[in-house]
Amino acid sequence: MLKAPDYQVAGHKALDGQLGPLVDGSGRFYKPFQKDERGVQEVAFYTTFSSNTKILDHIRRFFPIFYGTQLVEASDGSGLCPHIVLQDLISNRIHLSIMDIKIGSRTWYPQASEDYFQKCIKKDRETTTVPLGFRISGLQAYESEESGFWKPNRKHVLDFTMNDVRSALRKFVSSNPSSDAEPDCSYASIVYGGSTGILAQLLELKAWFEDQTVFHFYSCSVLMLYEKQAVLEGRSDAEVKLVDFAHVFDGEGVIDHNFLGGLCSLIKFISEILTSPDQFSVKGGLQDSENNCFCSENSIKE
C-alpha cells in the first residue's frame, strides 16, 4: 500500500490532498511526473544515465536505481498518474538524519523561459545560492527518543544566512541539535570524516565532476544521510546521494562548473568542521571555497 514518506524534508509532499511522492514500504519510491515536460526530461536523464556504459559503478552508487515508470493512484486523488519508480533510499532506516542541499550558484538552465528565469534568480539571490553556491532546502536530525527530531520549518531554512548554514551543518552532526547551546559536533568525525564518511564521498563526486562533460545538472540536490544508532555503535552508515534531475541537459563536452563550484563550496564548509569542530568560523563563500577545494583531502584521514 502506497503512502507518503515520513522522512521528506524538501519538495512537494503527498499530504493534505497535495501531489507528491509515495513509497511502498518494500524499497521503491514513486515520484509523480512533473508538469511542463519536466517529468519527461527526468525520465530521459535516468534512461540515458542507466544505459551509459562509461559511468563506473562507484559513481552509479550516488544515484538512485531507476526501475522505469508506472501508472499509480496519485496522492492528490486525481486518479492514475505516471510516476517514476526509483530506489527508496531510506527504506531500512528508523531514526534518520537527512539534509537536502541544492547545488549550484544558479538553479535556472539556459533554455528556461523568462518567467522561470525570474523566479529562480529571485530565490537564488534571496538565499545562500549565489554567495555560497548551494542552499539547504530542508533537514532533520534525530536527537533522542524524548526529544525526537530537530526539524526547522521550511521558511526558516530558506532564510538561512551563511552563518546559519554553518550552524546547521554543525547541528546535523551534534548530539544537541535542538539546544540553544553551541553544537557539540560529537558525531562529526564518524559522519563527516573517515575513509567512508560524507567528506570522502563528496570528494569522490568532485573528482568525477572535474572530468565529466556528459551532463550539466541544474537545480539538483545532494542528500546527506545517516542513522544515529550506527554512530552510537561507532560505525558510519553515512551516505551521499544525488536526486532531482528534471533539469539535466547535455554537457556538450564542457565541464559543469556551476555544479562543481557549489560542490567545492560544500566540501569547504564540511572540511572546516572536521578541522576545527570547536570553532565557529565566519570566513567562507563561493570564491574562497573554489580556491581551496583541492586542499580538503587531508581532512578525511582518521
Side-chain angles (χ1 to χ4, degrees):
M1 186 173 181
L2 299 179
K3 64 176 185 178
D6 55 13
Y7 53 76
Q8 190 176 349
V9 295
H12 300 287
K13 300 182 180 181
L15 299 172
D16 302 322
Q18 300 298 309
L19 183 64
L22 302 165
V23 293
D24 63 7
S26 61
R28 298 205 173 189
F29 180 94
Y30 298 77
K31 181 178 182 178
F33 271 46
Q34 296 184 68
K35 298 178 181 179
D36 305 324
E37 302 301 317
R38 286 175 291 174
V40 173
Q41 182 82 18
E42 190 159 20
V43 170
F45 164 75
Y46 275 115
T47 302
T48 301
F49 181 85
S50 300
S51 61
N52 190 325
T53 57
K54 295 182 179 179
I55 297 174
L56 302 177
D57 288 344
H58 75 98
I59 295 300
R60 290 187 185 278
R61 70 187 177 93
F62 292 112
F63 294 78
I65 299 170
F66 174 57
Y67 297 112
T69 62
Q70 185 175 333
L71 286 173
V72 300
E73 289 289 337
S75 62
D76 63 355
S78 59
L80 290 175
C81 170
H83 286 63
I84 303 172
V85 186
L86 303 167
Q87 170 193 12
D88 182 1
L89 303 174
I90 322 297
S91 59
N92 295 323
R93 300 174 188 263
I94 301 173
H95 297 140
L96 178 74
S97 292
I98 182 171
M99 185 179 292
D100 184 309
I101 305 172
K102 195 170 291 293
I103 302 292
S105 59
R106 53 178 272 193
T107 57
W108 49 275
Y109 51 95
Q111 300 91 335
S113 67
E114 181 64 21
D115 287 346
Y116 188 80
F117 165 76
Q118 292 297 339
K119 176 184 176 182
C120 289
I121 198 69
K122 182 177 186 294
K123 182 174 286 189
D124 291 351
R125 288 172 174 170
E126 291 175 348
T127 62
T128 62
T129 291
V130 170
L132 298 187
F134 70 88
R135 69 172 178 256
I136 298 175
S137 298
L139 74 155
Q140 69 178 30
Y142 182 72
E143 189 165 56
S144 66
E145 187 175 347
E146 295 76 21
S147 303
F149 290 92
W150 173 65
K151 188 174 183 178
N153 68 60
R154 185 176 183 181
K155 184 180 184 307
H156 176 58
V157 172
L158 288 177
D159 289 337
F160 274 179
T161 64
M162 183 187 299
N163 279 343
D164 291 331
V165 167
R166 278 200 174 84
S167 178
L169 288 168
R170 288 162 58 85
K171 285 175 175 286
F172 185 63
V173 290
S174 294
S175 66
N176 60 338
S178 65
S179 172
D180 292 331
E182 185 73 12
D184 58 29
C185 297
S186 58
Y187 311 142
S189 61
I190 296 178
V191 175
Y192 288 154
S195 61
T196 61
I198 282 174
L199 179 58
Q201 294 178 55
L202 291 175
L203 288 169
E204 192 173 351
L205 264 180
K206 179 175 79 73
W208 184 59
F209 273 94
E210 288 170 349
D211 290 328
Q212 81 88 16
T213 59
V214 180
F215 305 108
H216 280 192
F217 296 82
Y218 296 97
S219 200
C220 172
S221 287
V222 163
L223 293 185
M224 305 192 309
L225 48 99
Y226 73 92
E227 178 74 49
K228 181 175 180 179
Q229 187 57 40
V231 174
L232 295 178
E233 294 171 1
R235 56 187 177 86
S236 175
D237 69 342
E239 286 188 288
V240 169
K241 298 289 185 180
L242 297 184
V243 296
D244 297 336
F245 306 115
H247 301 303
V248 178
F249 294 88
D250 190 334
E252 299 181 351
V254 178
I255 288 174
D256 187 354
H257 292 287
N258 178 59
F259 193 97
L260 179 59
L263 192 60
C264 283
S265 181
L266 177 59
I267 286 169
K268 178 72 160 50
F269 274 66
I270 291 177
S271 296
E272 286 179 348
I273 295 173
L274 286 170
T275 303
S276 305
D278 298 324
Q279 297 179 17
F280 191 77
S281 169
V282 294
K283 299 177 182 179
L286 182 57
Q287 182 68 41
D288 184 50
S289 300
E290 288 177 331
N291 291 338
N292 292 281
C293 68
F294 297 101
C295 301
S296 303
E297 282 81 353
N298 290 334
S299 299
I300 69 173
K301 296 179 180 178
E302 304 260 58

